[in-house]
Amino acid sequence: QVQLVESGGGLVQAGGSLRLSCVASRRILSGDVMGWYRQAPGKQRELVATIRGRNTNYADSVKGRFTISTDITKNEVNLQMNSLKLEDTAVYYCKYRSGWPPVTDAWGQGTQVTVSS
C-alpha cells in the first residue's frame, strides 16, 4: 500500500545533471530498502542504486557519477545524476522494499530521462 511519486525527469545534454526525487506515502524506516532502477526500450530493467539506512550500492556504470540519498523529513529518496551520458537515457523507476517481514514491494510510475548529444 506504499505509494511512490517520482519527479525530476527530463531532457538534458550529455555532461549535464538531473536530480530525480521520489516521495513515499509513509515514513522511510531505517530497515527499508529504497532503490532506483532504469529501463531502456527493448532492454531489461536494471538496478541503478539502492540505499538502506546510510548504506548505498551502485551499478558499476553509474558509480562515481550518481548519488542516492534520503531525506527522512520529506519521506523522500533522491538520485543526483551528474556527468550524464547518452547511455543513461531510460525510464527511471523508484522502488521500495520493506525492511521487515512480510516483504512488501512498491514501484513508482517511472520518469523519463533523455540525454542528448
Side-chain angles (χ1 to χ4, degrees):
Q1 75 231 34
V2 175
Q3 295 176 322
L4 306 173
V5 180
E6 299 155 317
S7 63
L11 176 65
V12 65
Q13 287 187 312
S17 299
L18 281 176
R19 182 176 180 267
L20 306 183
S21 295
C22 171
V23 179
S25 60
R26 71 157 181 82
R27 187 167 70 91
I28 299 170
L29 303 177
S30 61
D32 295 335
V33 182
M34 304 299 301
W36 286 96
Y37 292 71
R38 66 186 182 186
Q39 187 169 22
K43 293 190 174 182
Q44 292 283 100
R45 190 172 299 184
E46 64 177 356
L47 185 146
V48 176
T50 61
I51 184 166
R52 186 180 190 181
R54 300 213 293 168
N55 296 319
T56 59
N57 187 45
Y58 298 91
D60 288 342
S61 59
V62 307
K63 194 171 297 183
R65 300 188 297 120
F66 291 9
T67 303
I68 188 170
S69 62
T70 57
D71 186 337
I72 300 302
T73 64
K74 298 179 180 179
N75 298 342
E76 190 174 88
V77 179
N78 301 306
L79 185 69
Q80 179 66 46
M81 305 185 294
N82 298 326
S83 302
L84 283 162
K85 304 175 179 179
L86 294 176
E87 303 81 59
D88 296 320
T89 296
V91 177
Y92 284 70
Y93 298 89
C94 180
K95 185 197 176 188
Y96 159 93
R97 172 166 284 185
S98 58
W100 304 98
V103 174
T104 302
D105 288 352
W107 291 88
Q109 78 283 358
T111 185
Q112 177 71 47
V113 173
T114 303
V115 183
S116 64
S117 60

